[in-house]
Structures are given as C-alpha cells and as structure tokens.
Amino acid sequence: MRQIVAFIFGLGLIGNALLFVPQAIAVWRKKTDEGVSLVTFGGFCILQILGVIHGVYEHDNALIIGLGASFFTCGTVTFLTIAYRVRRLRA
C-alpha cells in the first residue's frame, strides 16, 4: 500500500510540474511579464528547491524528481518574467 501511495504522490508532483507549463508558454509567446507575480513564482521556486533538498536527505526519489521537475517548469516562468521585466524597465 505504501508503494501505491508513493507512486500516486509522484504522479501528483509531475502533474504539479505540468501546471506551470501553460504560464511559461503564455509569458514566452506574449514576450511580457505583465500579470505574473515574481514574488509568487520566486516563492514557489524556493519551496521547490527546499523540497528537493529534503528529498535528498530522506532518500525520496518522488520528491527529488517531482519537485525537481516543478522547479524546472516554475523556474522557467520565473526566469522569463525576470528577463522581460528587466527588458521592460530598461526601455
């Protein structure tokens, strides 16, 4: 039963990572940071990194892979937001 719950949890974390993809695509296509909260996405990134570190200490591959994937997708939104915000503020 524990393995089943761990598997479902891992799938949930991958689903969590996929939830950031539409926002990344929207920011990239529009080439603007408007409507994106840098505090929110930056906070998510910090929490995901902490989750990965916790997963390493606990030897929990579901946390490492799932939150690593979430960090990648959320980090993409965060990076694009920073890049477009810097470009907008310089203009």
Side-chain angles (χ1 to χ4, degrees), residues 9-91:
F9 179 70
L11 288 178
L13 288 175
I14 297 299
N16 180 62
L18 293 174
L19 291 173
F20 294 107
V21 172
Q23 185 69 58
I25 292 170
V27 172
W28 179 65
R29 282 185 180 165
K30 293 177 183 176
K31 307 281 191 239
T32 181
D33 64 308
E34 288 184 40
V36 180
S37 171
L38 192 55
V39 172
T40 300
F41 280 91
F44 286 155
C45 284
I46 290 168
L47 290 172
Q48 291 157 355
I49 289 171
L50 290 173
V52 169
I53 293 169
H54 178 70
V56 169
Y57 282 124
E58 295 298 321
H59 306 286
D60 187 335
N61 289 333
L63 280 177
I64 296 167
I65 294 168
L67 289 178
S70 288
F71 174 71
F72 178 76
T73 56
C74 183
T76 300
V77 174
T78 305
F79 173 78
L80 289 172
T81 300
I82 291 170
Y84 292 133
R85 187 158 299 172
V86 167
R87 187 177 76 175
R88 180 173 51 87
L89 292 174
R90 285 187 180 171

